[in-house]
Amino acid sequence: MPEQVYVNESKKLAALFDHPSVEGVYEKQVPLNVRAVMELGSVCTFNEKQRGVLGKGLEYGFDLSALRRVSAQQPYLTQSPLGYLYLYHLVAGDRQIYALFSSTKKEAHVVVLNKARAEQSLPNLDKIYRDMFTYQMQEAGGEPWQSSIEYQDDIHFKTVQVTVKRRAYLEIGDAIKKLQKEEKAPLLL
């Protein structure tokens, strides 16, 4: 994703992540230096409004509030588009549902964890998605209703039902590994 696109879209992504309906955004092993690069971009400078930033920064280390983003003359990662993986987890009584979506594939993986042995069928998720997508497009006058992620007009849902939590985790892990292996572009989960 070009740096300018990330800069323009970062506020929208932050708004999505900060929305009251989002229970949590999970990051795994994101070092502080990577977090700083994500916040500041590939080029930054001192905040002129604060005094003694350089001296304090060299002596104790720089604080993110003492640095500010600068527009880069040469766009960063212009030829590296990102793919997104979205993992959704829903708990409803004794049943748990894990859904893994990819922004680059027309297939989603759904794992239903139901400790009861009786297998209950799910409604036609392909049709529900297609109908909801069509409804959203009509409501937005045929234009995308947001610009952070490009939605596919059709997705096939591959559904697996399991009775043990470990098996559910293995199914999701295998689906993520498969998507990582098939995808050429970098992925963000």
Side-chain angles (χ1 to χ4, degrees), residues 60-152:
Y60 301 110
F62 291 96
D63 186 56
L64 279 180
S65 66
L67 302 172
R68 66 177 178 84
R69 181 185 295 268
V70 174
S71 297
Q73 274 82 20
Q74 177 75 24
Y76 181 66
L77 294 177
T78 55
Q79 302 302 317
S80 297
L82 279 177
Y84 295 94
L85 295 181
Y86 176 71
L87 179 61
Y88 181 75
H89 180 217
L90 171 74
V91 179
D94 290 339
R95 185 187 286 187
Q96 295 185 43
I97 299 174
Y98 301 86
L100 181 66
F101 299 88
S102 170
S103 63
T104 60
K105 303 281 186 219
K106 290 192 174 262
E107 183 175 87
H109 299 272
V110 177
V111 178
V112 179
L113 171 60
N114 191 359
K115 298 197 186 225
R117 295 262 179 214
E119 206 171 282
Q120 297 176 339
S121 64
L122 291 174
N124 185 341
L125 297 176
D126 295 17
K127 182 179 180 337
I128 292 171
Y129 177 86
R130 195 170 35 257
D131 292 347
M132 290 305 297
F133 178 83
T134 303
Y135 172 78
Q136 285 287 1
M137 289 299 281
Q138 288 172 347
E139 285 291 308
E143 295 293 320
W145 59 94
Q146 56 79 39
S147 60
S148 297
I149 296 173
E150 188 175 329
Y151 287 88
Q152 293 104 342

Side-chain angles (χ1 to χ4, degrees), residues 34-53:
V34 172
R35 194 179 309 274
V37 169
M38 289 172 55
E39 178 77 24
L40 296 171
S42 61
V43 180
C44 69
T45 188
F46 302 113
N47 186 346
E48 294 91 13
K49 296 175 185 172
Q50 294 182 13
R51 297 178 53 96
V53 172

